[in-house]
Amino acid sequence: MATEDDRGTSSQDSHRTSLLEIIEERNRNLNKKYLIHRLVYISKISDPTVDRHALGNYYEALMKKLQVDFQTSEPITGLMLIYLKHVVHVIETSSDLILKIVEDLHKIESEKDSFVSKSKILIISHDINSRLYQQWSFRTLDIVEHGIEAFDTKETFENLIVELLTQLLKLGVYLNKQPKLNLKNVMDSLHDKVPDLLPQQSVVHYLLEESDSSMISPLEYIDMYRKPYDTFLESDMVWPIPTRLFPYN
């Protein structure tokens, strides 16, 4: 006859805590509704006549619209650096909103009078432990860098990307440590205070103009979600095709 201890042990064994339950409990403690991911991409401004403030305002309006349309999702935080010819954008939010932002990026790339003409996704970091940015914002940088088109290097694409991402992570850590009352002044003078934490325009240009499997386009990222992988069974490659009398034969 089973004792009370045996019944208690049996009850505990019947419900073992899963990894999903642990993650969900951690998210509840952190007041997180979904897993948070970090997207970093770079873009080429389509024309020198593009109003860079209008570009920043467009994305500011887009972020607000997404937050209104998807109120149950995670807030969007990050930083958009708008150089004279290029854009470096860091976004922290849930996967569904990242997909929406990438879809919009692909859409505006195909428009005739778009803000940007080409973009490449450098990385998407999944389930990040904490945010580097407390809000989303943009800054225009009037940094003149000569010889951008002539830039060449023997470094691998992976090393260049890692170095660029390291700069952005250090920049995020630096901004996260600033007092809220002083944050705006710091953001307005990034080039003066932390020039070494700003990605070089020549490197951004080089990555955009070259092709490498370590980077993907917005369309390639969207296709990963929208299109299934093609799978083949070994038997499908045999001729004549074998006859199956039963489904699992």
Side-chain angles (χ1 to χ4, degrees):
M1 183 175 179
T3 64
E4 290 186 4
D5 291 341
D6 293 336
R7 286 195 294 269
T9 303
S10 176
S11 176
Q12 292 175 359
D13 291 340
S14 64
H15 180 72
R16 296 180 178 177
T17 303
S18 67
L19 178 59
L20 176 61
E21 290 173 322
I22 294 174
I23 293 174
E24 289 178 339
E25 179 63 25
R26 186 192 67 180
N27 289 343
R28 281 193 291 269
N29 294 334
L30 295 174
N31 197 28
K32 289 168 58 178
K33 302 172 186 176
Y34 296 91
L35 297 180
I36 301 174
H37 313 285
R38 182 180 295 120
L39 163 70
V40 179
Y41 73 83
I42 55 178
S43 298
K44 180 180 180 180
I45 295 178
S46 58
D47 191 87
T49 60
V50 167
D51 186 340
R52 293 181 296 146
H53 286 282
L55 168 59
N57 291 333
Y58 170 84
Y59 271 94
E60 188 171 52
L62 174 64
M63 300 305 164
K64 290 180 180 178
K65 182 179 185 303
L66 290 174
Q67 295 283 219
V68 171
D69 293 345
F70 300 89
Q71 296 183 16
T72 59
S73 191
E74 283 290 330
I76 301 173
T77 58
L79 176 63
M80 172 178 272
L81 299 174
I82 307 176
Y83 294 88
L84 295 174
K85 296 182 179 180
H86 304 94
V87 174
V88 178
H89 198 179
V90 185
I91 299 170
E92 299 168 332
T93 187
S94 54
S95 59
D96 57 337
L97 292 188
I98 284 180
L99 180 59
K100 292 294 182 184
I101 293 169
V102 175
E103 287 176 338
D104 183 83
L105 177 61
H106 173 61
K107 178 178 71 70
I108 65 173
E109 279 184 350
S110 59
E111 294 175 352
K112 184 178 180 181
D113 298 320
S114 66
F115 291 113
V116 297
S117 59
K118 181 191 300 183
S119 300
K120 288 187 178 179
I121 296 173
L122 301 185
I123 193 172
I124 298 181
S125 303
H126 297 286
D127 190 18
I128 58 177
N129 292 325
S130 60
R131 297 175 184 265
L132 290 177
Y133 303 92
Q134 301 307 312
Q135 60 185 9
W136 185 92
S137 60
F138 75 91
R139 286 297 184 274
T140 57
L141 301 173
D142 299 322
I143 304 174
V144 178
E145 184 176 332
H146 300 287
I148 292 178
E149 290 78 7
F151 176 82
D152 195 11
T153 179
K154 294 183 179 179
E155 287 284 350
T156 63
F157 287 99
E158 289 82 0
N159 288 344
L160 290 174
I161 293 172
V162 168
E163 183 178 349
L164 189 151
L165 296 175
T166 301
Q167 287 178 298
L168 293 174
L169 290 175
K170 289 182 177 180
L171 177 61
V173 171
Y174 170 78
L175 294 175
N176 205 22
K177 292 180 179 179
Q178 302 304 311
K180 289 186 177 180
L181 295 177
N182 193 42
L183 184 58
K184 185 181 184 303
N185 293 332
V186 173
M187 293 282 288
D188 291 338
S189 56
L190 289 176
H191 186 223
D192 296 326
K193 294 183 179 297
V194 285
D196 55 319
L197 301 185
L198 299 176
Q200 296 180 9
Q201 299 175 72
S202 54
V203 174
V204 175
H205 174 81
Y206 181 79
L207 293 175
L208 282 168
E209 295 303 319
E210 300 294 330
S211 298
D212 189 79
S213 59
S214 56
M215 303 174 288
I216 61 174
S217 68
L219 180 58
E220 288 173 321
Y221 179 78
I222 295 169
D223 285 346
M224 291 170 59
Y225 278 84
R226 302 302 187 204
K227 295 182 179 179
Y229 288 103
D230 293 329
T231 57
F232 298 94
L233 299 176
E234 290 185 2
S235 58
D236 294 336
M237 309 301 291
V238 177
W239 184 262
I241 299 176
T243 302
R244 294 186 177 87
L245 299 179
F246 301 98
Y248 302 105
N249 187 18

